[in-house]
Amino acid sequence: RLVAWYEDRSVNAWRWSEVPDGRGLPFSARPDARCRVDAAARASPAPGRLAPLADRWSLSTGHADGRVRLHDARGRLRACAFGPHAAGGATVCAADANDGRVAVTGGADGVVAVWVCDHAALAYGLSHADDSDDDAALDAAPLAPGRAVARTAADAPSDFDDAPLLCSHALFGHGAAVTAVAYSATLDCVVSADAEGTALIHAARSGRRIRRLEDVAGGAPATVLAILDADVCVACAAATELAVWSLNGDRRATATLDAPLKSLAAPSANTVLVCGGADGVLSVRRTFDLALVHAVDLSAHGAPLFLAFGADDRHLLAATAGGRVVVCSDPKSRLLQLDAALSNTVIGLDAGLFAF
């Protein structure tokens, strides 16, 4: 399914199939559900304050009361908690589309929390993880004693197995408010940036700090982060500055863009990085040197606030400030899809091809 969350707390869902719809489009989609998110005390919506999880659940931050909220597929509020965040509460959050059960939040107090959605066994494993594989990590510092775990299986109440949202542990090290977070299940790492222009890399499973990066994006606070699994690096954006760092601490490339960046996304091969600018232009850049390869003007629909690739990277989905979901596809990929559909029809393998 393709699910979109709107500023008025409405949620739309479409049944999505990456096969031609028979009317010229290289995909098929039809309305599936519509609901509203129960988000009491919600502050002004902003990018980076909502993380999609598995089964159409979502985690939201940036509320007036500072709590982290978990919503189910029908928009109902399933859990509400402060976690380890103190002053100001949680302000940003992120999740990995390949995981769907783990999310991370960053707060105005400089704390980063790792949350597990509706999976008690996973929460137990994360909060009791063995960190032996991180012994050789440079600059590795254990979590602060007594504050490492906000809620674990060891001290959880009797309803632990039924709790839909659990904080496995908290990550420390920032001296200022966290402005952006990113999580990779593949690399088992959390990258967080703060208002001082510093980024920290933690191992998500053990909670150990792996590395500290200074001046990650021209000295300004990074507002958008994207972890590139295949290249083992992270892209950091602050205003019009974009930089790619390896997780070993080397700055690989930098670029100055024409407009402030609102969103980042990369296909699974990490060959390119798609940047959504405040001017409504999508710029496609090579990851190794950030050279511009292609640009798509979406200014008629507003700035791209969120970007995501489809399951096989054939389509790029852009959620815009104008309230639209724009689907972009590679013309060559579209022709290959149409050719495959025609070939299947000829040899009689199209049974149910266009059915949902």
Side-chain angles (χ1 to χ4, degrees), residues 3 7 27 56 148 180-181 183 197-198 239-240 255 264 270 283 316-317 333:
V3 184
E7 286 190 358
F27 60 90
R56 292 169 53 192
V181 290
Y183 165 66
T198 300
T240 58
L264 288 171
N270 293 162
S283 58
L316 173 67
L317 310 174
S333 174

Side-chain angles (χ1 to χ4, degrees), residues 13-211:
W14 296 268
R15 289 187 179 272
W16 172 271
S17 177
E18 294 194 348
V19 296
D21 69 341
R23 297 185 297 275
L25 292 178
F27 60 90
S28 300
R30 73 175 187 181
D32 180 53
R34 184 180 180 87
C35 61
R36 293 184 65 83
V37 171
D38 181 6
R42 177 73 194 228
S44 299
R49 288 185 170 177
L50 189 142
L53 298 169
D55 302 327
R56 292 169 53 192
W57 286 42
S58 60
L59 189 80
S60 62
T61 60
H63 300 276
D65 60 3
R67 296 175 184 266
V68 177
R69 283 173 162 76
L70 179 69
H71 315 275
D72 64 13
R74 297 184 178 181
R76 297 172 299 187
L77 185 63
R78 296 299 303 272
C80 183
F82 279 113
H85 300 293
T91 55
V92 292
C93 62
D96 188 341
N98 297 320
D99 187 295
R101 294 297 180 187
V102 178
V104 293
T105 60
D109 55 355
V111 176
V112 176
V114 180
W115 300 84
V116 178
C117 167
D118 200 28
H119 201 307
L122 178 58
Y124 183 93
L126 285 174
S127 58
H128 293 75
D130 177 15
D131 58 1
S132 59
D133 61 336
D134 297 313
D135 290 342
L138 298 177
D139 194 25
L143 298 177
R147 296 190 61 204
V149 179
R151 187 182 186 191
T152 69
D155 56 6
S158 58
D159 64 343
F160 178 84
D161 290 337
D162 298 326
L165 182 65
L166 294 168
C167 180
S168 63
H169 50 276
L171 312 175
F172 300 93
H174 286 291
V178 177
T179 57
V181 290
Y183 165 66
S184 169
T186 303
L187 300 179
D188 182 44
C189 73
V190 176
V191 181
S192 53
D194 61 30
E196 296 177 340
T198 300
L200 297 180
I201 304 172
H202 286 87
R205 182 172 61 86
S206 67
R208 283 189 173 273
R209 190 176 69 189
I210 299 173
R211 191 156 284 104

Side-chain angles (χ1 to χ4, degrees), residues 23 100 107 183 269 274-275 279 281 291 350:
R23 297 185 297 275
Y183 165 66
V274 182
C275 312
D279 57 357
V281 176
D350 64 335

